[in-house]
Amino acid sequence: MASPMRSLLVDPDRYLQSFRLFLERSTEHQSMQEFVERQLPDVIASIGNGKSTINVLSVGGGAGEMDLQILSKIQARYPGVTINNDVIEPSADQISKYKERVAQASNLENIKFTWHKETAHEYENRMNAEKKTKKWDFIHMIQMLYYVKDIPATLRYFHSLLESQAKLLIILVSGKSGWETLWKKYGSSFPLQDLCTYVSSADLLRMLDGAGLKCQLYELPSHMDITSCFIEGDKDGELLLDFLTETLDFAKTAPPELKRQMLCNQLQLRPSTQAMQKPNPFLRNNPKLHVAPPSSFKNSLQN
């Protein structure tokens, strides 16, 4: 008998709902904003040296919140320089929100935005079909490699598009996070259906090390409030469980034993001085950043 569990990605609207709730209940964007404020200026310090135009490629740019913050730092480092910002994003809804954000923002006079409604793989195929190769001064891939089928090939392609002084910024969940332990133990039970791949910074680091890539690493402390996940029938809790497991209606379709084990064992009960134990309301959600210069790559990445 076929499992009733389905990938969350088959319902884009619910996926976006769960993603936005995740951002609301977690400190991820705050952690990334702190990185943008404190460390990004050093990362981009030389990408535009001697250039009148800086080309930036956002792979999986979403609704643009982090993109605009990144662009503001590039503007500050290179005042008056024209910035071409191309965005690869498969969700029409996210692109619409991105455009709204741009329309409401100020100080974007020197930035030209171009949106491509497609996946990273579709972008690569289109550029190859059109026999086009455009080089970029800064490429960032924020929390999007989970939705790529061939990660080494994707990294190899986008790295090949870097200019000589360019940087590639990759953000993934840390290999020491609650996500890592959850997915390593239960990932095989989730209905990914070839639409999603769990990959952490630890997995990525092994790929990059195998390719001879030297990169800078930054770990950002972050957590998510999962209190509502322990409340039976709580709509927000069900949405968060969907996002955590990449499963549509996980609370309703998962086998009872899988749900019980995941909630009790993996999302963890914290020790209490009382006879009963209470659920830990916070899941460690530390994203880790990898910054790679173009010259450090060997000719190929291997699985």
Side-chain angles (χ1 to χ4, degrees), residues 265-283:
N265 299 336
Q266 207 59 34
L267 296 184
Q268 296 180 352
L269 294 171
R270 64 183 178 186
S272 170
T273 55
Q274 301 174 355
M276 295 184 65
Q277 293 181 316
K278 299 178 181 179
N280 183 350
F282 296 108
L283 180 75

Side-chain angles (χ1 to χ4, degrees), residues 29-44:
H29 267 192
Q30 294 94 309
S31 296
M32 291 185 190
Q33 288 164 359
E34 186 172 332
F35 168 80
V36 168
E37 287 296 322
R38 296 186 178 184
Q39 276 111 11
L40 186 65
D42 289 336
V43 172
I44 62 171

Side-chain angles (χ1 to χ4, degrees), residues 32-38 40-41 44 47 54 56 64-81 83 85 98 101-102 105-111 113 138 140:
M32 291 185 190
Q33 288 164 359
E34 186 172 332
F35 168 80
V36 168
E37 287 296 322
R38 296 186 178 184
L40 186 65
I44 62 171
I47 63 170
I54 296 174
V56 177
E65 181 179 353
M66 295 308 305
D67 285 22
L68 294 192
Q69 294 183 43
I70 289 170
L71 290 170
S72 72
K73 293 303 175 186
I74 297 175
Q75 279 185 311
R77 174 65 181 85
Y78 302 99
V81 171
I83 300 172
N85 184 70
Y98 197 136
R101 184 168 270 119
V102 168
S106 57
N107 302 320
L108 299 178
E109 296 83 5
N110 294 332
I111 304 177
F113 291 88
F138 188 57
H140 55 88

